Amino acid sequence: MTENLSDINSSTRAQGGSVGNDKTVVFIDTDVGWDDWCAIALLTLHPQIHVAGISVNGCGEAYFSDGYKNARNLLQLINILTIPVAKGQGNPLSYSNVFPADFRKAVSNVYNYPLPESKAPETKFSATELLQNSLDSYPDLTYLAIGGFTNFTEFLNSGPPAQPKRIVAMGGAVDVSGNVADLFAQAYPNNITGEWNLFVDPEAAAKAVATRSGFLTFVPLDASYKVELTQSVVDMFKDESTPVVKFIHTILQDKLEEAQKGGYQEYFYDPLAAATIIKPDLVSRSHAKFTVLTDLEEENNTQGQLNYQPDASANSEYCHDPDADGFYQLFSATIHQQL
């Protein structure tokens, strides 16, 4: 069974009437990686958040069709079947910066975790249509980009009558090194400044930053690197008291062991970005103007580098110095539904 745009229009507007004034409405755009799963669970389970929709792109961690299926199946696990999920773009605007195939395969397979099959009807409409419809119903929604800007740039290319008033994006590196070569040096040894969410489609990121009309908040690696995945954090979910807690515990334990075996540290990238929407004072913020580098130079590859100029009057900012303990407590309490 499929669901068309008119069905979602009616459903979304009906939900709009029931969203309290105290709730923040969020639209999630995702490449459906492991940290995206955590971010989606955090936002869909938090009582102060209403998720209007989810759009999936195939330009990041998961392969396109698998990512779409996994997003829907995750909502089935969470037992929230009213959130529409739409497909966006499967390819970047230019270049072919991709995660290694074995990494993408593991993510696409959800590390062999048996998610339940979604019972919700599939949708025929596009990510652009879903976002436009969501904005019609919720003009003040927050757009969360946790998988690059390919889908958002496609939305911009459609000539929308209005953009989200606030965009929060996990991406970039401000005063720290990038993570492109750091994570996959064999594939991209000459890029030490780019961050993956901007690197996978640098042209889209550059356009999104240059043409956005709403307030733009980056949650860069500077903030992520202060929120580590450790055994003590994993153990916060060892009770496995619900299907969601069990899933989070299993995935975090697998990621921690993978990182330990590989000799690197893992971090809560996307969940931290999501948490800043729920609790803005989890982080410090500095205003700045941004640009994203797109040119490819093989000997000194800076694609995906986020350049910034401090500017107290800028309509954009980046987050830093997060309260790590505050994040862990918020994440655990929400996943355990103890708020």
Side-chain angles (χ1 to χ4, degrees), residues 22 34 79-80 111 180 187 211 214 219 228 269 290 293 315 335:
D22 59 333
W34 76 269
N79 196 29
I80 299 178
Y111 298 101
V180 174
T211 60
V219 185
E228 298 181 347
Y269 305 98
F290 299 101
L293 299 187
N315 196 29
I335 298 302

Side-chain angles (χ1 to χ4, degrees), residues 288-308:
K289 293 181 178 179
F290 299 101
T291 56
V292 177
L293 299 187
T294 61
D295 292 339
L296 173 61
E297 298 180 14
E298 292 188 8
E299 293 184 0
N300 181 31
N301 185 353
T302 58
Q303 283 190 333
Q305 178 177 326
L306 182 67
N307 284 349
Y308 78 105

Side-chain angles (χ1 to χ4, degrees), residues 221-297:
L221 296 180
D222 308 57
S224 303
Y225 286 166
K226 301 289 181 65
V227 185
E228 298 181 347
L229 174 60
T230 64
Q231 188 63 59
S232 62
V233 177
V234 175
D235 288 344
M236 297 173 77
F237 304 91
K238 65 182 179 181
D239 59 283
E240 299 191 350
S241 53
T242 69
V244 180
V245 175
K246 180 179 180 180
F247 171 71
I248 295 296
H249 180 246
T250 302
I251 294 304
L252 295 185
Q253 188 67 63
D254 287 350
K255 289 304 299 181
L256 179 62
E257 292 175 1
E258 180 182 87
Q260 290 172 336
K261 186 179 298 183
Y264 61 91
Q265 177 63 54
E266 193 60 270
Y267 307 93
F268 284 93
Y269 305 98
D270 294 343
L272 177 61
T276 66
I277 298 174
I278 299 170
K279 198 171 187 298
D281 61 359
L282 274 177
V283 293
S284 298
R285 300 162 186 266
S286 296
H287 287 252
K289 293 181 178 179
F290 299 101
T291 56
V292 177
L293 299 187
T294 61
D295 292 339
L296 173 61
E297 298 180 14

Side-chain angles (χ1 to χ4, degrees), residues 76-304:
Q76 181 71 46
L77 178 77
I78 298 170
N79 196 29
I80 299 178
L81 305 183
T82 56
I83 299 173
V85 181
K87 290 183 179 179
Q89 298 301 300
N91 298 296
L93 298 185
S94 61
Y95 303 106
S96 57
N97 299 333
V98 294
F99 286 90
D102 57 345
F103 176 87
R104 299 193 80 190
K105 182 177 180 180
V107 172
S108 296
N109 290 334
V110 199
Y111 298 101
N112 297 316
Y113 194 91
L115 286 176
E117 290 293 324
S118 174
K119 297 179 182 178
E122 288 198 48
T123 54
K124 290 183 176 180
F125 51 90
S126 70
T128 289
E129 291 171 324
L130 178 58
L131 177 55
Q132 184 58 67
N133 179 70
S134 299
L135 283 168
D136 290 343
S137 298
Y138 308 107
D140 293 328
L141 70 74
T142 296
Y143 184 92
L144 175 64
I146 49 175
F149 281 101
T150 307
N151 285 347
F152 186 73
T153 302
E154 182 67 16
F155 171 73
L156 293 177
N157 290 341
S158 72
Q163 292 187 30
K165 293 184 178 180
R166 177 174 290 274
I167 301 169
V168 176
M170 190 282 125
V174 176
D175 291 319
V176 299
S177 298
N179 66 350
V180 174
D182 188 41
L183 290 179
F184 300 108
Q186 192 170 15
Y188 301 101
N190 299 319
N191 191 320
I192 61 173
T193 59
E195 181 278 326
W196 268 99
N197 276 355
L198 305 187
F199 176 69
V200 289
D201 196 345
E203 183 180 335
K207 181 171 183 177
V209 169
T211 60
R212 61 97 182 95
S213 62
F215 198 91
L216 174 62
T217 299
F218 275 109
V219 185
L221 296 180
D222 308 57
S224 303
Y225 286 166
K226 301 289 181 65
V227 185
E228 298 181 347
L229 174 60
T230 64
Q231 188 63 59
S232 62
V233 177
V234 175
D235 288 344
M236 297 173 77
F237 304 91
K238 65 182 179 181
D239 59 283
E240 299 191 350
S241 53
T242 69
V244 180
V245 175
K246 180 179 180 180
F247 171 71
I248 295 296
H249 180 246
T250 302
I251 294 304
L252 295 185
Q253 188 67 63
D254 287 350
K255 289 304 299 181
L256 179 62
E257 292 175 1
E258 180 182 87
Q260 290 172 336
K261 186 179 298 183
Y264 61 91
Q265 177 63 54
E266 193 60 270
Y267 307 93
F268 284 93
Y269 305 98
D270 294 343
L272 177 61
T276 66
I277 298 174
I278 299 170
K279 198 171 187 298
D281 61 359
L282 274 177
V283 293
S284 298
R285 300 162 186 266
S286 296
H287 287 252
K289 293 181 178 179
F290 299 101
T291 56
V292 177
L293 299 187
T294 61
D295 292 339
L296 173 61
E297 298 180 14
E298 292 188 8
E299 293 184 0
N300 181 31
N301 185 353
T302 58
Q303 283 190 333

Side-chain angles (χ1 to χ4, degrees), residues 20-75:
N21 293 332
D22 59 333
K23 285 195 174 186
T24 299
V25 179
V26 180
F27 187 98
I28 304 172
D29 183 74
T30 172
D31 64 354
V32 207
W34 76 269
D35 51 336
D36 301 66
W37 307 333
C38 295
I40 291 170
L42 174 62
L43 289 174
T44 54
L45 288 172
H46 198 279
Q48 294 177 2
I49 300 295
H50 174 77
V51 177
I54 297 174
S55 59
V56 173
N57 75 70
C59 306
E61 295 191 42
Y63 288 113
F64 196 19
S65 295
D66 291 324
Y68 173 70
K69 177 187 70 175
N70 293 338
R72 285 168 36 80
N73 291 349
L74 178 58
L75 292 179

